[in-house]
Amino acid sequence: MKEMFQAGTYHVRAKGHNGSLPVTLSSDRIEKIDVDSSKESKGISYPVFTTIPSSIIEGQALNVDTVSGATISSLGIIEGVADAIRETGGDPEIFKKRPKPKKEAGEAKDLTTDVVVIGGSGAGLAAAATVLQNNKKVILLEKFPALEEATLFGQAPHECS
């Protein structure tokens, strides 16, 4: 493969990330994105710091899905890697135009339940608890990686009013 940039580790700033973002590039690949999460809010952005770098490296693309609920941090890492590529004299647009890495679909399952609750914030958890207290089966669906993250993002007053 043709040399695309000068190999090395580049320390860039990423919007939505509280620190330096070291990005290691070989002459033709993004090799490593080292996110230091020690100065970040626990639990809120953690999935970003593992999912986004691994997606970028596996697909060698900046056209990756952001993490729901942490879009600014996701885009910050993506743009930070783009900045590192620019620092080398490379063109990040090449990586932004590459196809998104394909995700494998999970195994389909047939489930039986009495109630499906969509959303694991305070209201969703209360609804699921009520179903269980009435000796019924419940399935709780949540898009965030952890329950009650909507509450952490300040959406609870709207849900409970």
CSV table of all heavy atoms in Angstrom, one decimal, residues 12-15 21 23 52 56 62 72-86 92-93 96:
chain,number,residue,atom,x,y,z
A,12,VAL,N,-3.2,14.9,20.1
A,12,VAL,CA,-4.2,15.9,19.6
A,12,VAL,C,-5.2,16.1,20.7
A,12,VAL,O,-5.3,15.3,21.7
A,12,VAL,CB,-4.9,15.4,18.3
A,12,VAL,CG1,-3.9,15.3,17.2
A,12,VAL,CG2,-5.6,14.1,18.5
A,13,ARG,N,-6.0,17.2,20.6
A,13,ARG,CA,-7.0,17.4,21.6
A,13,ARG,C,-8.3,17.0,20.9
A,13,ARG,O,-8.5,17.2,19.7
A,13,ARG,CB,-7.1,18.9,21.9
A,13,ARG,CG,-5.9,19.5,22.5
A,13,ARG,CD,-5.6,19.1,23.9
A,13,ARG,NE,-6.6,19.6,24.8
A,13,ARG,CZ,-6.6,19.2,26.1
A,13,ARG,NH1,-5.6,18.5,26.5
A,13,ARG,NH2,-7.5,19.7,26.9
A,14,ALA,N,-9.2,16.4,21.7
A,14,ALA,CA,-10.5,16.0,21.2
A,14,ALA,C,-11.6,16.7,21.9
A,14,ALA,O,-11.7,16.6,23.2
A,14,ALA,CB,-10.6,14.4,21.4
A,15,LYS,N,-12.5,17.3,21.2
A,15,LYS,CA,-13.7,18.0,21.8
A,15,LYS,C,-14.5,17.0,22.5
A,15,LYS,O,-14.8,15.9,22.0
A,15,LYS,CB,-14.5,18.6,20.7
A,15,LYS,CG,-15.7,19.4,21.2
A,15,LYS,CD,-16.5,20.1,20.1
A,15,LYS,CE,-17.7,20.8,20.7
A,15,LYS,NZ,-18.5,21.4,19.7
A,21,LEU,N,-5.2,13.1,23.3
A,21,LEU,CA,-5.6,11.9,22.6
A,21,LEU,C,-4.4,11.4,21.8
A,21,LEU,O,-4.3,11.9,20.6
A,21,LEU,CB,-6.8,12.1,21.8
A,21,LEU,CG,-7.4,10.9,21.0
A,21,LEU,CD1,-8.0,9.9,22.0
A,21,LEU,CD2,-8.5,11.4,20.1
A,23,VAL,N,-2.6,9.4,19.1
A,23,VAL,CA,-3.0,8.5,18.0
A,23,VAL,C,-1.7,8.1,17.3
A,23,VAL,O,-0.9,8.9,16.9
A,23,VAL,CB,-3.9,9.4,17.0
A,23,VAL,CG1,-4.2,8.5,15.7
A,23,VAL,CG2,-5.1,9.9,17.6
A,52,ILE,N,-15.5,3.5,19.8
A,52,ILE,CA,-15.1,4.3,18.7
A,52,ILE,C,-13.7,4.0,18.2
A,52,ILE,O,-13.5,3.7,17.0
A,52,ILE,CB,-15.3,5.8,19.0
A,52,ILE,CG1,-16.7,6.2,19.3
A,52,ILE,CG2,-14.7,6.7,17.9
A,52,ILE,CD1,-17.7,6.0,18.2
A,56,ILE,N,-12.8,2.5,14.5
A,56,ILE,CA,-11.9,3.2,13.5
A,56,ILE,C,-10.8,2.3,13.1
A,56,ILE,O,-10.4,2.2,11.9
A,56,ILE,CB,-11.4,4.5,14.2
A,56,ILE,CG1,-12.5,5.5,14.4
A,56,ILE,CG2,-10.2,5.1,13.4
A,56,ILE,CD1,-12.1,6.7,15.2
A,62,LEU,N,-13.0,6.6,9.3
A,62,LEU,CA,-13.6,7.6,10.2
A,62,LEU,C,-15.1,7.7,10.1
A,62,LEU,O,-15.7,8.5,10.8
A,62,LEU,CB,-12.9,9.0,10.0
A,62,LEU,CG,-11.4,9.0,10.3
A,62,LEU,CD1,-10.9,10.4,10.0
A,62,LEU,CD2,-11.1,8.7,11.8
A,72,ILE,N,-21.2,13.9,21.3
A,72,ILE,CA,-20.1,14.9,21.3
A,72,ILE,C,-18.8,14.2,21.5
A,72,ILE,O,-17.8,14.5,20.9
A,72,ILE,CB,-20.4,16.0,22.3
A,72,ILE,CG1,-21.6,16.8,21.8
A,72,ILE,CG2,-19.2,16.9,22.4
A,72,ILE,CD1,-22.1,17.8,22.8
A,73,SER,N,-18.7,13.3,22.5
A,73,SER,CA,-17.5,12.6,22.8
A,73,SER,C,-17.1,11.7,21.6
A,73,SER,O,-15.9,11.6,21.3
A,73,SER,CB,-17.6,11.7,24.1
A,73,SER,OG,-17.8,12.6,25.2
A,74,SER,N,-18.1,11.0,21.0
A,74,SER,CA,-17.8,10.2,19.9
A,74,SER,C,-17.2,11.0,18.7
A,74,SER,O,-16.1,10.6,18.2
A,74,SER,CB,-19.1,9.5,19.3
A,74,SER,OG,-19.7,8.7,20.3
A,75,LEU,N,-17.8,12.1,18.4
A,75,LEU,CA,-17.4,13.0,17.3
A,75,LEU,C,-16.0,13.6,17.6
A,75,LEU,O,-15.2,13.8,16.8
A,75,LEU,CB,-18.4,14.1,17.0
A,75,LEU,CG,-19.7,13.5,16.4
A,75,LEU,CD1,-20.7,14.7,16.2
A,75,LEU,CD2,-19.4,12.9,15.0
A,76,GLY,N,-15.8,13.9,18.9
A,76,GLY,CA,-14.5,14.4,19.4
A,76,GLY,C,-13.4,13.5,19.1
A,76,GLY,O,-12.3,13.9,18.6
A,77,ILE,N,-13.6,12.2,19.3
A,77,ILE,CA,-12.5,11.2,19.1
A,77,ILE,C,-12.3,11.1,17.6
A,77,ILE,O,-11.2,11.0,17.1
A,77,ILE,CB,-12.8,9.9,19.7
A,77,ILE,CG1,-12.7,10.0,21.2
A,77,ILE,CG2,-11.9,8.8,19.2
A,77,ILE,CD1,-13.2,8.8,22.0
A,78,ILE,N,-13.4,11.0,16.8
A,78,ILE,CA,-13.3,10.9,15.3
A,78,ILE,C,-12.5,12.1,14.8
A,78,ILE,O,-11.6,11.9,14.0
A,78,ILE,CB,-14.7,10.8,14.7
A,78,ILE,CG1,-15.3,9.4,15.1
A,78,ILE,CG2,-14.6,10.9,13.2
A,78,ILE,CD1,-16.8,9.3,14.8
A,79,GLU,N,-12.9,13.3,15.2
A,79,GLU,CA,-12.2,14.5,14.7
A,79,GLU,C,-10.8,14.6,15.2
A,79,GLU,O,-9.9,15.1,14.5
A,79,GLU,CB,-13.0,15.8,15.1
A,79,GLU,CG,-14.2,15.9,14.2
A,79,GLU,CD,-13.9,15.9,12.7
A,79,GLU,OE1,-12.9,16.6,12.3
A,79,GLU,OE2,-14.6,15.2,12.0
A,80,GLY,N,-10.5,14.1,16.4
A,80,GLY,CA,-9.2,14.0,17.0
A,80,GLY,C,-8.2,13.2,16.1
A,80,GLY,O,-7.1,13.5,15.8
A,81,VAL,N,-8.8,12.0,15.7
A,81,VAL,CA,-8.0,11.1,14.8
A,81,VAL,C,-7.8,11.9,13.4
A,81,VAL,O,-6.7,11.8,12.8
A,81,VAL,CB,-8.7,9.8,14.6
A,81,VAL,CG1,-7.9,8.9,13.6
A,81,VAL,CG2,-8.7,9.0,15.9
A,82,ALA,N,-8.8,12.5,12.9
A,82,ALA,CA,-8.7,13.3,11.7
A,82,ALA,C,-7.6,14.4,11.8
A,82,ALA,O,-6.8,14.6,10.9
A,82,ALA,CB,-10.0,13.9,11.3
A,83,ASP,N,-7.6,15.0,13.0
A,83,ASP,CA,-6.5,16.0,13.2
A,83,ASP,C,-5.1,15.4,13.2
A,83,ASP,O,-4.2,16.0,12.6
A,83,ASP,CB,-6.7,16.7,14.6
A,83,ASP,CG,-7.9,17.7,14.6
A,83,ASP,OD1,-8.4,18.0,13.5
A,83,ASP,OD2,-8.4,18.1,15.7
A,84,ALA,N,-5.0,14.2,13.8
A,84,ALA,CA,-3.7,13.5,13.8
A,84,ALA,C,-3.3,13.2,12.3
A,84,ALA,O,-2.1,13.4,11.9
A,84,ALA,CB,-3.8,12.3,14.6
A,85,ILE,N,-4.2,12.8,11.5
A,85,ILE,CA,-3.9,12.5,10.1
A,85,ILE,C,-3.5,13.8,9.4
A,85,ILE,O,-2.5,13.8,8.6
A,85,ILE,CB,-5.1,11.8,9.4
A,85,ILE,CG1,-5.4,10.4,10.0
A,85,ILE,CG2,-4.9,11.7,7.9
A,85,ILE,CD1,-6.7,9.7,9.6
A,86,ARG,N,-4.2,14.9,9.7
A,86,ARG,CA,-3.8,16.2,9.1
A,86,ARG,C,-2.4,16.6,9.5
A,86,ARG,O,-1.7,17.1,8.6
A,86,ARG,CB,-4.8,17.3,9.5
A,86,ARG,CG,-6.0,17.4,8.6
A,86,ARG,CD,-6.8,18.6,9.0
A,86,ARG,NE,-8.2,18.3,8.8
A,86,ARG,CZ,-9.1,17.8,9.7
A,86,ARG,NH1,-8.7,17.7,10.9
A,86,ARG,NH2,-10.3,17.5,9.4
A,92,PRO,N,-7.7,13.3,5.9
A,92,PRO,CA,-8.7,12.5,6.6
A,92,PRO,C,-9.9,12.3,5.8
A,92,PRO,O,-10.7,11.3,6.1
A,92,PRO,CB,-8.9,13.4,7.8
A,92,PRO,CG,-8.5,14.8,7.5
A,92,PRO,CD,-7.4,14.6,6.5
A,93,GLU,N,-10.2,13.0,4.8
A,93,GLU,CA,-11.4,12.8,3.9
A,93,GLU,C,-11.4,11.4,3.3
A,93,GLU,O,-12.4,10.8,3.1
A,93,GLU,CB,-11.5,13.9,2.9
A,93,GLU,CG,-11.8,15.3,3.4
A,93,GLU,CD,-13.1,15.3,4.3
A,93,GLU,OE1,-14.1,14.8,3.9
A,93,GLU,OE2,-13.0,15.9,5.4
A,96,LYS,N,-12.8,9.4,5.9
A,96,LYS,CA,-14.3,9.7,6.2
A,96,LYS,C,-15.2,9.1,5.1
A,96,LYS,O,-16.3,8.9,5.3
A,96,LYS,CB,-14.4,11.2,6.3
A,96,LYS,CG,-13.9,11.8,7.6
A,96,LYS,CD,-14.1,13.3,7.7
A,96,LYS,CE,-13.5,13.8,9.0
A,96,LYS,NZ,-13.8,15.3,9.1
